[in-house]
Amino acid sequence: MDTLKVLLVNGSPHKDGCVSTALSEIADTLKSEGIDSTPFWVGNQPVAGCIGCGASGAMTSFLDRAFFINEFNGDHFAGKPAAAIATCRRSGATAALDQMNKYMTDCNMPIVPSQYWNVVHGNTPEEIHRDTEGLQTMRTLARNMAWLLKCLEAGRLTGIETPVTEEKIKTNFIR
């Protein structure tokens, strides 16, 4: 069996902040399931985000560029399991999840679920560690990701082919 690997993209401008804390919980759980992971921090990259606060928009800018490339250069993401997570102090996480999930569905990626919305609450890593339900959600997400990756690999090894993708039809709703 090939080495299964998950890319953990961190869009936060804070390297060791709340998102990193949540992703570490996921990485530890994936490791316990025999799945490697690699962190990729885009929050420090020169991807234009919000110039007002300097703390939001980098992930959206990154996804815009990554999925734009996919749109015109093939279905590189199709069939690859994905999940979005968000951290917040009080609210706003579900809007962020909704936005990120739309990129994945647009690219024919299976979205991996958890036991609840993939959110941890807190304003600091210490507060994130106190959100026991949120951390459990991250662990459940990681176990579900590991399970789906193993199922896909087992299917591939037994000759189950990925679905044939039709050529995309793009319609204009202004008639």
Side-chain angles (χ1 to χ4, degrees), residues 8-157:
L8 303 171
V9 181
N10 181 346
S12 172
H14 309 287
K15 183 176 184 181
D16 297 317
C18 297
V19 174
S20 177
T21 303
L23 291 175
S24 292
E25 191 78 12
I26 292 170
D28 291 346
T29 305
L30 287 169
K31 186 175 182 179
S32 74
E33 295 288 330
I35 306 291
D36 291 334
S37 63
T38 300
F40 179 60
W41 184 34
V42 297
N44 68 335
Q45 301 297 315
V47 179
C50 178
I51 60 172
C53 69
S56 64
M59 190 62 168
T60 298
S61 296
F62 169 76
L63 292 172
D64 282 346
R65 286 156 178 84
F67 286 92
F68 177 81
I69 290 167
N70 188 74
E71 179 72 18
F72 294 98
N73 292 319
D75 290 328
H76 303 294
F77 298 124
K80 293 182 178 13
I85 67 158
T87 67
C88 65
R89 186 184 67 80
R90 299 286 296 161
S91 65
T94 56
L97 289 177
D98 181 53
Q99 181 185 19
M100 289 185 282
N101 282 335
K102 286 176 180 170
Y103 289 96
M104 298 171 215
T105 58
D106 188 48
C107 288
N108 199 20
M109 300 173 79
I111 296 178
V112 179
S114 187
Q115 65 191 30
Y116 196 64
W117 301 325
N118 299 335
V119 175
V120 287
H121 289 92
N123 201 37
T124 65
E126 294 76 25
E127 290 177 359
I128 297 292
H129 282 294
R130 292 195 307 260
D131 181 5
T132 55
E133 181 182 1
L135 291 175
Q136 183 182 54
T137 299
M138 298 298 112
R139 291 189 302 273
T140 301
L141 171 64
R143 282 191 289 276
N144 288 345
M145 176 66 80
W147 175 80
L148 184 55
L149 286 168
K150 291 172 185 177
C151 287
L152 290 169
E153 180 68 3
R156 186 184 67 76
L157 292 173

